Amino acid sequence: MARTECSDRVVGAILASWRYDISGIYPEMRKDYEQHFADCPHCRARQKFHRSLDGTLAVLTSLAVFFFLFALAVLKHIKPVEHMAFNIFGLDVEDTYHMLVSAGISGLVFSIIALALVLTATPAPSYLGDIASKRARMIEERLPEAIKSLRPR
Ligand SMILES: [Zn+2]
């Protein structure tokens, strides 16, 4: 982390307790904090760090949901466990299958809960939405005039 110091300890402490997220407060109350972010490189860096952390959490939890869905789909369609269960471990196929399916379902449920928590408890949705709209605007600016004029206003 950057070794800079906050220029205003009081405001810095308030911002730290909010994890540097001011999107939840009223716009007219936000001005002082926005000014502080503009003035203070320390808090700006912390804010950037926390928002990328939120984004990473959102991406990781949605990947977990995806992988558990994938694992369940594999179990349903291929059933590669049958060989392993019989030959290597000497287990009962039905038991093994049920155990893996319930592990997959509980993993799926847990990762959906984790994703919901990340999306509700952190400003990740607005942060990711911001990035997406900035990218969209950048792409739009680079489009040739002929295509831009086709776009409805
Ligand atoms: Zn600061």
Side-chain angles (χ1 to χ4, degrees), residues 5-9 11-12 15 20 36-37 40-44:
E5 282 280 310
C6 181
S7 59
D8 183 340
R9 293 264 171 135
V11 179
L15 286 172
Y20 302 89
H36 182 74
F37 278 128
C40 176
H42 172 80
C43 289
R44 212 167 39 235

Side-chain angles (χ1 to χ4, degrees), residues 81-82 85-86 91-98:
V81 244
E82 286 181 15
F86 269 135
L91 295 170
D92 181 52
V93 174
E94 279 298 298
D95 281 354
T96 312
Y97 183 72
H98 284 296

Side-chain angles (χ1 to χ4, degrees), residues 1-2 4-7 11-12 15-16 19-21 33-52 127:
M1 227 46 254
T4 51
E5 282 280 310
C6 181
S7 59
V11 179
L15 286 172
R19 292 186 65 245
Y20 302 89
D21 170 34
Y33 298 111
E34 278 167 353
Q35 189 57 49
H36 182 74
F37 278 128
D39 297 339
C40 176
H42 172 80
C43 289
R44 212 167 39 235
R46 301 292 302 174
Q47 185 189 34
K48 204 174 169 191
F49 169 73
H50 279 281
R51 290 304 78 78
S52 49
Y127 172 72

